[in-house]
Amino acid sequence: MYTVPKLTDYSAKAIDAAVRELLSALEQEGSAVGSESDYKAFRDRWMARKNGVLTQINDLWLKPAPKDAKKDVGQRVNELKSKVEQTIDAAEKRLTSTAVKSKLSADHIDITLPGICRPIGAEHPVIKTMNEIVSVFRNLGYSVSDGPEVENDYYNFEALNFPPNHPARDTQDTLFISGQDREAQRDRLLLRTHTSPVQIRTMERLKPPLRIVIPGKVHRNDPPDASHSPMFHQIEGLAVDTNITFGDLKGTLDHAMKALFGSSVKTHFRPSFFPFTEPSAEMMVSCFICGGSGKRGSEPCRPCKTTGWIEILGCGMVDPNVFEFVKHNGYDPKKVSGFAFGMGADRVAILKYGVDDIQYFFQGDVRFLKQFG
Ligand SMILES: [Zn+2]
């Protein structure tokens, strides 16, 4: 590294040589500056008041200069000072512009790269199935009705012809809200076990004739397994008018099943019991998976358990006792009649999409849900 020599010879030639040597060292060291810390070391080495190169030439060249050379040496030292300052400035500028360039190149955006793809959501298979069922009935002139999921005993049971202590209540493992022992039984809150309370609520609100479908969530105290979930979905329908007959029920549901599962499916009714309908029936559709044969190739058809029929919904003529609860709003059982039906939307989705476990619908696993997008 360059060190400032003492000047013994103050001839112009000797001074020139010393200056040339210093300038070449300055230039070399200045161009070697590559970082912030290099720059600081360079600046301090040349400019530091104590022992910097400029201080040294002042002390070693100017101060001891003989009188007749002093003016000339002073001038050269001043020139060197401004040269050193310029070189240091230049080094700083070069460093800054390199830093800006490297920051720019780090922030550089390649607009030819593919963008970040945000996945678009899709209808959940159960909601999709419910919407399909709703749309079939909308086309028949039905409107959609809605009600609370936290219901009271009156709407969930009593007004649907389940009197207190009716044995049918035991078949519905009801989830009651706790801490209501002091309430009258009909006021006790529960999670609705079916969408049927919305039938009563709607009849209280709207006069006949009435045609509604009621899609929604229901809750029962069922431990989860492949075919049960404590929360599931139902769709119910209700039609009330003068002269509604069981024939209307059959015709409507037969049409709906053909619209949902294909025009070749057949329907079949067998007697059943529900407290709120009389007579009541369970409706079967011919298996749309095996075409009613009970077999898929040489394998037995599991969805219909080889019978060729799938039980799909419960239905019946509205029990006159139910109309008694809404008689004040025009539902006189002597003047009007109606039919009601209800099905599990999850079950329909399971059959439609060949899903073998109802839990898949509610686990939120994107790998499963993606298949319905
Ligand atoms: Zn089958």
Side-chain angles (χ1 to χ4, degrees):
M1 190 180 280
Y2 172 75
T3 49
V4 181
K6 277 188 181 169
L7 278 187
T8 45
D9 182 353
Y10 279 89
S11 68
K13 202 177 158 193
I15 292 171
D16 272 350
V19 167
R20 263 203 309 278
E21 201 193 343
L22 185 143
L23 285 177
S24 116
L26 175 69
E27 198 178 318
Q28 207 180 347
E29 289 179 30
S31 62
V33 167
S35 70
E36 188 75 25
S37 62
D38 284 357
Y39 166 75
K40 280 183 182 160
F42 174 60
R43 185 193 58 193
D44 293 348
R45 175 167 146 72
W46 289 81
M47 302 278 281
R49 243 169 233 193
K50 201 180 163 190
N51 227 21
V53 172
L54 288 180
T55 307
Q56 285 182 46
I57 57 173
N58 212 41
D59 292 348
L60 296 175
W61 293 3
L62 186 57
K63 280 186 184 163
K67 238 182 187 170
D68 57 345
K70 210 149 214 160
K71 197 181 163 197
D72 186 32
V73 174
Q75 205 179 341
R76 305 297 282 274
V77 166
N78 277 339
E79 282 168 18
L80 285 173
K81 254 188 198 164
S82 67
K83 189 73 189 164
V84 167
E85 280 163 7
Q86 279 169 24
T87 310
I88 288 172
D89 278 355
E92 190 186 18
K93 273 186 191 137
R94 191 159 46 77
L95 205 60
T96 318
S97 85
T98 318
V100 169
K101 268 185 206 154
S102 76
K103 184 166 167 39
L104 278 178
S105 86
D107 291 351
H108 175 72
I109 295 166
D110 183 350
I111 57 163
T112 64
L113 285 174
I116 297 164
C117 188
R118 299 194 188 282
I120 297 171
E123 262 182 335
H124 188 279
V126 172
I127 302 296
K128 195 170 166 168
T129 304
M130 290 216 284
N131 287 343
E132 277 173 31
I133 299 171
V134 165
S135 101
V136 167
F137 286 95
R138 266 190 192 281
N139 290 341
L140 292 172
Y142 285 64
S143 51
V144 175
S145 212
D146 202 3
E149 280 175 46
V150 177
E151 202 32 290
N152 64 30
D153 188 284
Y154 174 77
Y155 286 109
N156 196 76
F157 291 124
E158 189 180 333
L160 289 162
N161 204 31
F162 295 80
N165 307 319
H166 189 289
R169 288 185 174 210
D170 295 337
T171 67
Q172 308 209 4
D173 287 315
T174 309
L175 293 161
F176 282 91
I177 309 288
S178 64
Q180 302 184 88
D181 305 341
R182 287 194 188 163
E183 304 289 333
Q185 183 170 16
R186 56 159 49 188
D187 296 331
R188 288 186 192 169
L189 297 175
L190 47 85
L191 297 181
R192 69 180 181 193
T193 57
H194 45 190
T195 42
S196 313
V198 185
Q199 295 189 16
I200 305 297
R201 288 182 175 277
T202 310
M203 286 191 282
E204 283 181 344
R205 208 159 39 82
L206 303 172
K207 294 189 186 305
L210 187 70
R211 280 174 188 75
I212 50 167
V213 275
I214 306 152
K217 262 190 216 118
V218 302
H219 304 259
R220 289 188 202 174
N221 189 18
D222 277 335
D225 63 24
S227 50
H228 294 87
S229 163
M231 185 280 297
F232 56 102
H233 299 80
Q234 281 191 339
I235 293 202
E236 290 207 7
L238 171 69
V240 183
D241 205 338
T242 48
N243 297 320
I244 297 257
T245 67
F246 204 87
D248 297 313
L249 180 159
K250 287 178 94 169
T252 303
L253 292 181
D254 187 75
H255 167 84
M257 294 304 116
K258 286 180 163 62
L260 281 172
F261 301 115
S263 55
S264 60
V265 299
K266 295 186 182 72
T267 51
H268 166 73
F269 293 79
R270 71 177 181 204
S272 184
F273 171 78
F274 304 106
F276 36 90
T277 47
E278 182 59 36
S280 303
E282 266 161 16
M283 191 183 75
M284 328 280 285
V285 289
S286 57
C287 180
F288 43 85
I289 292 147
C290 64
S293 69
K295 280 186 201 156
R296 300 171 79 183
S298 56
E299 296 288 308
C301 178
R302 275 206 304 152
C304 67
K305 301 184 185 92
T306 74
T307 61
W309 293 95
I310 291 175
E311 189 188 314
I312 199 93
L313 57 76
C315 57
M317 301 305 290
V318 179
D319 193 306
N321 289 344
V322 171
F323 285 138
E324 289 291 342
F325 287 95
V326 283
K327 197 172 174 179
H328 58 277
N329 201 28
Y331 292 86
D332 183 343
K334 293 198 179 70
K335 292 179 184 154
V336 295
S337 58
F339 64 80
F341 56 89
M343 64 190 117
D346 319 79
R347 185 170 146 69
V348 175
I350 280 174
L351 292 167
K352 223 170 133 65
Y353 297 115
V355 175
D356 51 17
D357 189 336
I358 191 174
Q359 300 304 322
Y360 287 136
F361 287 141
F362 311 126
Q363 285 164 344
D365 187 333
V366 175
R367 290 168 303 178
F368 170 76
L369 296 172
K370 249 181 174 171
Q371 301 172 62
F372 304 92

